[in-house]
Amino acid sequence: MTIKRYVRDAISLFFPQTCVGCDRPLAYEETLICTDCWYHLPYTGGHSDAGNPSARLLWGRVPLKGVASYLYLEDDSRVERILYHLKYRARPEIGELLGTRYGEMLFTTPPFSEADVIIPVPLHRIKMRRRGYNQSASFASGLSQSMRKAVTADVLVRTKASESQTRMNRHERYENVRDAFKVQNQEAISGRHVLLVDDVLTTGATIEACAEALLNEGADKVSAVTIAKAV
């Protein structure tokens, strides 16, 4: 046993880590999410269904090659607690873990497997400075590891500090993010298939605005995946 592992095990003995989905102590060699939560998470299976609910939400709004979400998000659920820890408890490693898991599925599933580059939905610089990390970028990092595709995080920038969209309807959300995204490196996406990555798909306004910006600036195709789809 290495010294590092000995110290880690000693700390776990006296200060046990808890699952971010159910808050129960993690068993030996469990990381962040317990086995029981992994088993009971509401997986969408949308990556293997071109007509899944996430894809249908964006039909007729922006031409996407494919859209899929890993999980369904409901109020007061394991997924809501996991995302809360990811976004507000400074736990970007959660996003990376979820991305690694989902990337294993997407690696052999077109059109996602055919993407050339992964681009996360950006935060505005003010929110980025306040939070310290971009949860969508951490998810993208995990996807990158499993899908063996590069993440390019400096292509798409958010130029407008939009208001919180939690209580907005679809039209209000679209107006809130309209013209909020700009491509600053056309060469990185010109003629390429972009996999756009975000944390939660609610009305689709953010994905729509980002995809429009990418396609208008030369991307050949855009697909999109999110950690969760709100229901």
Side-chain angles (χ1 to χ4, degrees), residues 57-71:
L57 182 65
L58 287 148
W59 281 354
R61 296 167 58 181
V62 62
L64 296 168
K65 292 298 293 182
V67 183
S69 301
Y70 187 26
L71 306 166

Side-chain angles (χ1 to χ4, degrees), residues 85-141:
H85 279 273
L86 168 62
K87 295 179 68 172
Y88 304 114
R89 290 294 182 90
R91 305 292 298 275
E93 65 271 22
I94 297 170
E96 189 168 337
L97 175 61
L98 294 169
T100 302
R101 289 280 187 123
Y102 200 31
E104 292 170 355
M105 302 177 188
L106 301 178
F107 179 64
T108 56
T109 307
F112 312 103
S113 60
E114 299 165 350
D116 300 306
V117 62
I118 300 173
I119 295 180
V121 170
L123 293 178
H124 188 269
R125 64 181 182 278
I126 294 175
K127 183 173 286 187
M128 184 69 177
R129 191 182 307 121
R130 184 166 60 241
R131 184 172 294 170
Y133 64 95
N134 178 356
Q135 70 276 3
S136 297
S138 67
F139 182 52
S141 176

Side-chain angles (χ1 to χ4, degrees), residues 17-79:
Q17 299 294 306
T18 58
C19 172
V20 295
C22 65
D23 205 33
R24 289 195 290 254
L26 292 169
Y28 182 67
E29 294 196 338
E30 288 181 336
T31 303
L32 298 174
I33 300 173
C34 71
T35 302
D36 185 64
C37 277
W38 279 121
Y39 182 80
H40 288 99
L41 288 177
Y43 302 102
T44 70
H47 57 286
S48 58
D49 175 12
N52 69 76
S54 294
R56 291 201 303 271
L57 182 65
L58 287 148
W59 281 354
R61 296 167 58 181
V62 62
L64 296 168
K65 292 298 293 182
V67 183
S69 301
Y70 187 26
L71 306 166
Y72 285 118
L73 170 62
E74 295 185 90
D75 291 339
D76 194 27
S77 64
R78 298 172 198 253
V79 176

Side-chain angles (χ1 to χ4, degrees), residues 130-157:
R130 184 166 60 241
R131 184 172 294 170
Y133 64 95
N134 178 356
Q135 70 276 3
S136 297
S138 67
F139 182 52
S141 176
L143 291 170
S144 173
Q145 294 175 43
S146 295
M147 298 180 73
R148 303 172 196 171
K149 300 181 186 297
V151 176
T152 305
D154 61 348
V155 170
L156 195 62
V157 294

